[in-house]
Amino acid sequence: MTTVTRDFHFDRHDEKTKTRQLLEQEWLLTNGLGGYASGTVCGALTRRYHGLLIAAFPSPLGRMVMLNRLTESIRFPDGSTVRFGGDQREGGLDFEGIEYLTGFRLEDGLPVWRYEVMGSVIEKQLVMVHKQNTLHLIYRLISGEQKLRLKLHPYLQFRPHDASVDQVTDDPYMFTAVQNRYQISTGSHAPQLRLVINGGRGNFTLEEKQSTDIFYDVENARGYDALGTLWTAGYFAVDLGMDQEAALTASTETWETLAALPPEAALAMERERRRLILAAADPRARQGLAAELVLATDQFIITPAGRHKDSVRAHAMGDEVCTVIAGYHWFTDWGRDTMISLEGLTLATGRHMEAGWILRTFAHYVRNGLIPNLFPEGHNDGLYHTADASLWFFHAVNRYLQHTGDDATLQLILPQLRQIIDKHLSGTSFGIRVDPSDGLLTQGAEGYQLTWMDAKVGDWVVTPRRGKAVELNALWYNALRLMQQWTGQNDPAYSRQLGSFADQTCRSFNSRFWYPDGGYLYDLVDGELGDDAACRPNQLFAISLDHSVLERDKWSAVLETVRTRLLTPVGLRTLAPGHPDYKPTYHGDLRARDAAYHQGTVWPWLIGTFVDSWLKLYPDQVQTAHSFLDGLARQMNHQCIGSISEIFDAEKPYHPKGCIAQAWSVAEMLRCWLKTSP
């Protein structure tokens, strides 16, 4: 299988433009535990989440920044030295060596930098060991001088990855060295960072210093503290020759674990793991853009590092705990995102075993008819304030069964599925219940945001949508029909009862949700302020789900409304222009951003429901459906190279915003790409 490569092309002639591009574009590497490495292409830190090793630990620690960045320098045989690296300051970029960076690419998803300096070509490659908090930085001399001297200054600031950049540790950093084993710690309860240098004549020189007043530009733009300090104990020096690579390893694993897998072996194994992932995927997804998307999906499928009790329980059943990180850098695993993403992340990629693990993991967490909305950072218990995640669970199970025919898993989790249905019928938490007068699902509780449009700042719920939301009732109808099907053989009386409920829901939906003056669907009926005719993308789920609740004669009008008012090259707007609450851009501090989050801002994952609806109405227009994905394909060289962002501005030029890599953005893009490909 050939290497899947993405080259990031930047301006090599205009230094100002090149510097801006290298500061704006980011990369991401993950370890299957929720840990990651991420930064700008040039290496300057612009986010609190940037770092070469953000390790994932058991609760209550969660994810922690352990190694922030390196300053690198090269000494040539004639004694001349070239330095790479530095920081942003409030007055500008205090950085050296950008002029020597001539290339950046992803090889099978792994980042590679290329430097051309004084006649020599040097490449640096990063690899994280799967399911370890270990990073290897591997340097190669491609051509030029036969031997160079490489000097590496590791700078760090131990803190939770979402903590403010101005956080200061209570205890001093302690540096210890025994032979070629170097260790940094602070305080008795903090994790330890272990460092190893491999290559010719490697050694460490003690030269403690601080780099102060580092300016994190993105944090500043988002309204957060933006000045921080990094610390280093000194620097490593190692020979870099044509016949010998040099590598720096940073890890929180034991010395025995590090000794078992040296850097080159770790790289070879990780590349083989990624090739096996491609080999398991749909044959159409083993090369080109689809292969890149398959590799991107792997970033989100994790074994959560912190939930030890869950692992014990799962192992006792012969299972594994498996879940989905909703987005990098700051999201954890969310029930809604997981269920929406499941098909694209696992079923389109041939990872059926992981799909089963994920479904069985979440089935274990069903409480009072709900699956968790999310698991907070550093906690073992989930939060349940969601009205749609449990209904998306039915959709995910159905798609899993379509791909696998795994009736054993269905029978195993059927009691939890029945609990969800019964609790919704009788009423559960947060006012989630079926109105017996019309069979429609209603929800709402003061101070909570229960639909996927869930922005909240302090006590302000931006889009509360309390009442009967259009997509919730489309999902409810779909769940009833699926459960009717799954129980038909073993419990026909219950199945018939569900069929009657579904019939009532369908009649009421088509009677109540049609907005004749607009020719589309209300977003909400029986809300706190009555019926809400805001034109939003949520109405499409009444068409796109496996069991469509909307009468077919209204599909065309709804789809055309969404196409003309909400569709953009990168997904669907969350609110049509012209509405008083419409926001064309997503920017500013937290309050300003959340005010725009679902009030116009484009979400790429919604392209999935548009493509599904389009093909239901126009099954012969597959090529047209495929063209709706072209804009997102072009976005894979923006913000996070090789992935797709969480959101975009609602107007041209549709700047990417939010998380740099989002599970359901990638999953729905891949699913639809394959669905519309020959």
Side-chain angles (χ1 to χ4, degrees):
M1 188 173 292
T2 58
T3 300
V4 177
T5 303
R6 171 166 289 269
D7 285 304
F8 171 57
H9 300 287
F10 48 83
D11 194 319
R12 299 188 182 184
H13 305 291
D14 185 326
E15 285 299 316
K16 186 175 181 180
T17 301
K18 175 183 176 181
T19 299
R20 177 179 55 78
Q21 290 175 319
L22 297 180
L23 271 172
E24 289 179 352
Q25 308 310 315
E26 301 174 57
W27 55 271
L28 174 68
L29 191 61
T30 63
N31 68 358
L33 297 172
Y36 59 91
S38 184
T40 62
V41 172
C42 72
L45 306 173
T46 62
R47 298 181 187 268
R48 72 178 82 178
Y49 304 99
H50 282 164
L52 293 172
L53 179 60
I54 289 82
F57 296 107
S59 57
L61 291 177
R63 288 176 287 184
M64 291 190 64
V65 182
M66 300 300 295
L67 177 62
N68 299 66
R69 68 161 179 81
L70 292 178
T71 297
E72 304 151 317
S73 61
I74 298 170
R75 191 181 71 201
F76 290 84
D78 64 2
S80 58
T81 300
V82 175
R83 180 176 177 269
F84 305 84
D87 302 295
Q88 278 189 301
R89 310 290 178 185
E90 285 190 279
L93 189 63
D94 179 17
F95 205 93
E96 298 179 49
I98 285 181
E99 65 270 27
Y100 302 116
L101 179 58
T102 58
F104 177 84
R105 66 184 186 275
L106 299 179
E107 286 187 356
D108 291 334
L110 301 174
V112 181
W113 288 259
R114 183 180 180 89
Y115 300 91
E116 297 180 19
V117 51
M118 297 177 64
S120 294
V121 177
I122 302 157
E123 288 193 345
K124 174 178 69 177
Q125 185 163 32
L126 267 59
V127 59
M128 297 192 89
V129 181
H130 191 56
K131 296 193 178 180
Q132 284 189 29
N133 290 313
T134 299
L135 175 82
H136 299 293
L137 301 99
I138 301 172
Y139 296 83
R140 302 184 185 92
L141 180 59
I142 305 299
S143 64
E145 296 284 354
Q146 291 300 303
K147 185 175 288 187
L148 306 173
R149 189 67 171 169
L150 180 64
K151 185 186 293 186
L152 305 172
H153 275 92
Y155 281 87
L156 55 89
Q157 179 196 28
F158 290 176
R159 58 173 171 80
H161 79 140
D162 52 4
S164 174
V165 297
D166 64 356
Q167 179 170 307
V168 179
T169 61
D170 295 330
D171 300 293
Y173 291 107
M174 295 180 291
F175 178 86
T176 58
V178 178
Q179 295 180 336
N180 191 36
R181 295 180 171 183
Y182 306 92
Q183 190 164 287
I184 299 173
S185 59
T186 176
S188 58
H189 301 293
Q192 297 176 335
L193 176 66
R194 296 180 173 90
L195 300 167
V196 179
I197 191 75
N198 288 285
R201 296 192 308 126
N203 58 47
F204 185 86
T205 299
L206 199 62
E207 188 180 75
E208 182 180 7
K209 65 172 66 172
Q210 287 188 333
S211 183
T212 60
D213 297 326
I214 298 168
F215 182 64
Y216 293 76
D217 182 58
V218 174
E219 296 302 307
N220 181 65
R222 290 168 63 86
Y224 299 116
D225 293 324
L227 289 177
T229 298
L230 301 180
W231 176 89
T232 184
Y235 62 87
F236 292 95
V238 62
D239 286 340
L240 180 62
M242 293 290 292
D243 57 348
Q244 185 178 28
E245 297 174 344
L248 177 65
T249 299
S251 179
T252 65
E253 305 295 336
T254 65
W255 290 117
E256 290 76 15
T257 299
L258 291 180
L261 197 63
E264 271 304 302
L267 175 60
M269 289 184 178
E270 179 60 16
R271 295 194 71 161
E272 181 63 22
R273 189 186 71 85
R274 289 167 181 254
R275 286 170 181 159
L276 289 172
I277 288 172
L278 289 174
D282 187 304
R284 297 168 297 169
R286 295 174 186 171
Q287 59 184 359
L289 179 74
E292 294 183 70
L293 288 166
V294 170
L295 293 173
T297 64
D298 182 59
Q299 297 173 331
F300 305 103
I301 302 170
I302 71 159
T303 298
R307 302 211 285 273
H308 178 67
K309 290 182 180 179
D310 294 347
S311 296
V312 172
R313 173 190 51 78
H315 292 166
M317 295 178 59
D319 243 344
E320 293 287 343
V321 176
C322 196
T323 190
V324 170
I325 285 283
Y328 292 94
H329 306 94
W330 50 82
F331 281 120
T332 58
D333 44 339
W334 287 57
R336 174 191 305 115
D337 301 57
T338 298
M339 298 309 147
I340 292 171
S341 303
L342 187 86
E343 185 175 7
L345 295 185
T346 62
L347 303 177
T349 58
R351 301 177 71 161
H352 299 159
M353 183 177 293
E354 285 100 327
W357 290 343
I358 291 168
L359 293 174
R360 292 189 291 273
T361 294
F362 272 88
H364 172 73
Y365 283 104
V366 172
R367 302 287 187 274
N368 201 25
L370 301 174
I371 69 169
N373 187 33
L374 77 153
F375 290 88
E377 187 80 43
H379 291 265
N380 288 319
D381 297 324
L383 302 179
Y384 286 81
H385 55 295
T386 170
D388 59 345
S390 307
L391 303 178
W392 279 113
F393 191 33
F394 286 82
H395 170 80
V397 170
N398 188 49
R399 293 296 170 90
Y400 173 74
L401 294 173
Q402 290 173 2
H403 280 79
T404 68
D406 181 8
D407 187 64
T409 288
L410 174 62
Q411 297 307 316
L412 183 68
I413 66 176
L414 202 59
Q416 286 85 3
L417 294 172
R418 180 162 181 164
Q419 180 194 141
I420 293 171
I421 293 290
D422 292 347
K423 285 293 185 180
H424 281 64
L425 287 168
S426 62
T428 183
S429 308
F430 311 108
I432 301 169
R433 62 179 180 85
V434 169
D435 182 344
S437 69
D438 57 14
L440 295 176
L441 188 68
T442 186
Q443 56 81 33
E446 189 69 29
Y448 286 96
Q449 66 285 30
L450 301 177
T451 74
W452 83 272
M453 294 186 162
D454 58 358
K456 182 181 179 183
V457 185
D459 294 330
W460 177 39
V461 177
V462 182
T463 49
R465 303 180 73 224
R466 300 185 189 108
K468 299 167 182 174
V470 64
E471 81 280 12
L472 292 185
N473 280 280
L475 286 162
W476 172 241
Y477 176 78
N478 189 59
L480 286 171
R481 289 299 188 204
L482 291 173
M483 197 63 174
Q484 177 189 3
Q485 170 190 333
W486 295 335
T487 58
Q489 185 173 357
N490 296 329
D491 195 344
Y494 183 67
S495 177
R496 288 192 297 271
Q497 183 183 33
L498 295 183
S500 297
F501 287 138
D503 290 342
Q504 182 190 23
T505 299
C506 185
R507 290 192 300 271
S508 297
F509 184 96
N510 285 280
S511 171
R512 297 295 314 284
F513 277 95
W514 181 247
Y515 175 49
D517 292 346
Y520 58 89
L521 299 181
Y522 284 110
D523 187 61
L524 186 79
V525 299
D526 293 347
E528 295 170 303
L529 301 177
D531 298 343
D532 183 2
C535 182
R536 295 188 183 273
N538 305 309
Q539 60 190 302
L540 274 186
F541 293 109
I543 302 173
S544 66
L545 291 169
D546 291 338
H547 294 277
S548 307
V549 67
L550 182 63
E551 294 170 347
R552 191 179 181 90
D553 63 353
K554 295 182 174 64
W555 288 8
S556 180
V558 168
L559 191 59
E560 182 61 17
T561 296
V562 172
R563 188 188 70 82
T564 56
R565 302 185 66 183
L566 301 177
L567 181 66
T568 77
V570 289
L572 302 185
R573 296 185 181 97
T574 43
L575 184 63
H579 191 282
D581 294 328
Y582 176 75
K583 304 290 190 302
T585 60
Y586 176 89
H587 69 280
D589 62 15
L590 179 60
R591 186 176 182 86
R593 295 196 312 274
D594 275 356
Y597 205 32
H598 303 104
Q599 303 286 50
T601 297
V602 173
W603 290 72
W605 78 272
L606 292 168
I607 200 65
T609 186
F610 185 83
V611 167
D612 290 342
S613 300
W614 184 273
L615 290 177
K616 274 193 170 184
L617 191 61
Y618 308 115
D620 297 330
Q621 296 189 21
V622 177
Q623 188 172 354
T624 301
H626 192 77
S627 70
F628 298 133
L629 307 174
D630 290 344
L632 284 175
R634 291 191 293 270
Q635 285 296 324
M636 290 184 67
N637 251 5
H638 295 275
Q639 197 168 38
C640 184
I641 298 169
S643 193
I644 302 177
S645 304
E646 176 191 10
I647 52 177
F648 293 83
D649 283 339
E651 303 290 346
K652 293 180 180 179
Y654 305 109
H655 286 302
K657 300 290 179 67
C659 277
I660 66 170
Q662 193 79 0
W664 55 14
S665 299
V666 173
E668 285 294 88
M669 174 64 173
L670 175 60
R671 183 183 68 82
C672 292
W673 189 270
L674 294 176
K675 185 172 183 174
T676 59
S677 295

